[in-house]
Amino acid sequence: MNVFSGMIAHDYEQVIFCQDRTSGLKAVIAIHDTTLGPALGGTRMWNYETEEAAVEDVLRLSRGMTYKNAAAGLNLGGGKAVIIGDARTDKNPEMFRAFGRYIQGLNGRYITAEDVGTTVEDMDIIHQETDYVTGISQAFGASGNPSPVTAYGVYVGMKAAAKAGLGTESLSGKTIAVQGVGNVAYHLCKHLHEEGAQLIVTDIHQPSVKRAVDEFGARAVDPTEILQVDCDILAPCALGGVLNEDTLPMIKAKVIAGAANNQLNTNEDGERLQQMGIAYAPDYVINAGGVMNVADELNGYNRERAFKKVETIFDNVSRVFEIAKTEQIATYRAADRMAEERIERMRYSGGKFLQNGYHILSKR
Ligand SMILES: NC(=O)c1ccc[n+]([C@@H]2O[C@H](COP(=O)([O-])OP(=O)(O)OC[C@H]3O[C@@H](n4cnc5c(N)ncnc54)[C@H](O)[C@@H]3O)[C@@H](O)[C@H]2O)c1
Ligand SMILES: CC(C)C[C@H](N)C(=O)O
């Protein structure tokens, strides 16, 4: 495994390997870019088949957080962590405490939160060792589980995507196909049902499907069918890579707007979507509600302020469609451009010597 070539390719700042024999912790923290501020991103716990796969994932996800935080207008950089192991069988409190001490050792360069396989309870254990953790329990005056807030952000972002792709932001009467009805999509379906959308759902976990059918009158289909059903909007809310050269020809939706990270398998798939005339809301712009919510904890959590911030996702998604239209480029490129411009402006401005409280000279 050649870690440095991977780091140099997209200019990663730091990768930290953490090991604790007693608890079985094997973790990798990747800090991609801290131009806008300390790196904030969740910790994923996943049973990776190889260590290379874990490193690849943490690199890809941490860079995604740089773009997500920048496009969301947060003064935060991008980072992410992965813990290698089965989230259902391999967790123990000592593991998360050891991990918390590693985070504390970074002195604020990296701040963690939930991601796939980790929970509020895990964040609370990390919090026993460090303050550089968000998404901790509401009992601490913090924000708790980010999934319902992510869902609300996807809902308002979907309205902006519908305006661009269907000419109306109303989702009433629209047929919406949802792939994966887990933590985020359950709450998304609730908003969509309340607005009067017709739902088609699938999941590999049958109780989740049953809940959506029972509570929202959703029509269930097999996981192999969801991408090809007749619908107005497709919401990928399971795992990444679902929009690829094999699946794109099947898709009948005019709009794609969902919560999953890394929906496009490659950038070429983003170009294909543009050629097909499908209005694609870039994943990291529409699913930023969770990070917006946990980031508010850094200011002393205020739920009302956090939700106001999450509502800006409507404007952020609209802006992406505007850039794409004006520049005649695919929406994923428009989103990257929006994020990169913000980072580059700060990099340029931050490159000027201006005395501030953090500068070494001020401590003499
Ligand atoms: N939780 C958050 O706040 C948040 C924030 C931003 C992005 N995301 C992203 O949103 C997505 C969903 O997150 P979540 O927290 O709801 O996770 P989750 O694990 O609760 O839900 C995912 C669901 O997808 C199902 N699934 C997996 N593979 C499937 C397949 N092939 N076909 C159908 N269903 C399948 C799972 O059974 C599960 O119910 C993930 O990609 C995550 O990275 C989550
Ligand atoms: C900070 C977390 C709530 C981030 C979330 N896991 C995401 O991918 O956006």
Side-chain angles (χ1 to χ4, degrees):
M1 177 176 20
N2 194 340
V3 178
F4 274 110
S5 63
M7 288 178 72
I8 292 163
H10 290 294
D11 208 11
Y12 290 82
E13 291 180 12
Q14 193 176 11
V15 178
I16 304 103
F17 289 80
C18 315
Q19 183 281 134
D20 178 62
R21 201 165 55 180
T22 315
S23 64
L25 173 75
K26 276 196 223 155
V28 191
I29 301 170
I31 297 176
H32 174 245
D33 189 293
T34 57
T35 306
L36 292 177
L40 173 58
T43 296
R44 176 166 295 193
M45 186 161 180
W46 194 257
N47 213 357
Y48 294 98
E49 283 187 6
T50 62
E51 291 175 11
E52 285 82 355
V55 173
E56 266 173 34
D57 206 29
V58 79
L59 289 177
R60 192 177 49 98
L61 290 164
S62 63
R63 182 163 173 260
M65 288 311 297
T66 297
Y67 280 79
K68 188 181 296 195
N69 292 339
L74 296 168
N75 291 321
L76 291 164
K80 202 101 177 184
V82 295
I83 296 178
I84 301 173
D86 187 323
R88 272 168 297 196
T89 54
D90 295 342
K91 285 184 183 178
N92 60 69
E94 295 73 27
M95 173 182 278
F96 285 97
R97 288 193 65 165
F99 183 58
R101 289 194 293 277
Y102 277 109
I103 293 174
Q104 178 66 19
L106 291 168
N107 207 21
R109 272 177 60 67
Y110 170 65
I111 303 167
T112 200
E114 294 87 348
D115 194 67
V116 176
T118 58
T119 62
V120 177
E121 291 71 32
D122 301 330
M123 297 307 125
D124 285 350
I125 299 172
I126 292 173
H127 186 223
Q128 293 173 23
E129 301 285 351
T130 182
D131 273 336
Y132 301 122
V133 53
T134 54
I136 57 176
S137 286
Q138 291 176 340
F140 293 107
S143 64
N145 178 8
S147 300
V149 194
T150 300
Y152 182 61
V154 174
Y155 170 62
V156 297
M158 189 184 280
K159 286 175 151 297
K163 194 169 178 190
L166 305 173
T168 169
E169 66 184 70
S170 169
L171 301 175
S172 177
K174 297 286 175 290
T175 301
I176 303 175
V178 183
Q179 182 189 40
V181 265
N183 289 321
V184 174
Y186 168 75
H187 293 278
L188 173 64
C189 286
K190 195 170 195 174
H191 292 298
L192 298 175
H193 175 64
E194 279 166 9
E195 191 171 330
Q198 305 301 314
L199 297 172
I200 304 174
V201 300
T202 196
D203 200 291
I204 50 174
H205 184 62
Q206 280 315 307
S208 303
V209 174
K210 185 174 181 316
R211 184 169 66 161
V213 170
D214 292 349
E215 293 188 28
F216 312 129
R219 175 162 76 87
V221 297
D222 190 78
T224 55
E225 291 170 34
I226 193 77
L227 297 175
Q228 44 195 311
V229 295
D230 271 319
C231 63
D232 300 298
I233 301 173
L234 170 67
C237 296
L239 296 179
V242 289
L243 304 177
N244 58 53
E245 61 179 336
D246 296 328
T247 58
L248 289 188
M250 306 173 188
I251 292 174
K252 301 197 179 76
K254 294 170 203 70
V255 172
I256 299 180
N261 277 316
N262 303 317
Q263 292 170 31
L264 296 174
N265 197 36
T266 63
N267 286 347
E268 288 69 44
D269 299 312
E271 302 294 337
R272 284 191 193 101
L273 283 172
Q274 186 199 13
Q275 287 150 18
M276 291 167 75
I278 295 178
Y280 167 64
D283 44 18
Y284 67 75
V285 180
I286 194 169
N287 74 13
V291 75
M292 288 173 168
N293 191 49
V294 299
D296 196 82
E297 284 181 29
L298 304 173
N299 305 311
Y301 185 63
N302 178 309
R303 193 171 167 81
E304 197 180 328
R305 183 178 59 206
F307 270 77
K308 282 219 168 77
K309 177 74 180 165
V310 173
E311 279 167 4
T312 64
I313 290 176
F314 184 95
D315 294 337
N316 296 347
V317 172
S318 302
R319 174 97 189 99
V320 166
F321 281 109
E322 263 167 44
I323 297 171
K325 193 170 170 191
T326 314
E327 307 280 325
Q328 290 291 296
I329 56 175
T331 53
Y332 84 92
R333 284 182 63 200
D336 283 1
R337 195 172 286 185
M338 197 166 89
E340 283 163 3
E341 276 176 8
R342 191 160 173 255
I343 296 166
E344 288 317 313
R345 275 200 305 273
M346 188 60 199
R347 204 189 304 279
Y348 179 71
S349 165
K352 291 191 173 70
F353 176 77
L354 294 172
Q355 183 64 281
N356 66 41
Y358 296 113
H359 197 279
I360 192 160
L361 295 178
S362 67
K363 295 193 181 123
R364 290 192 173 159

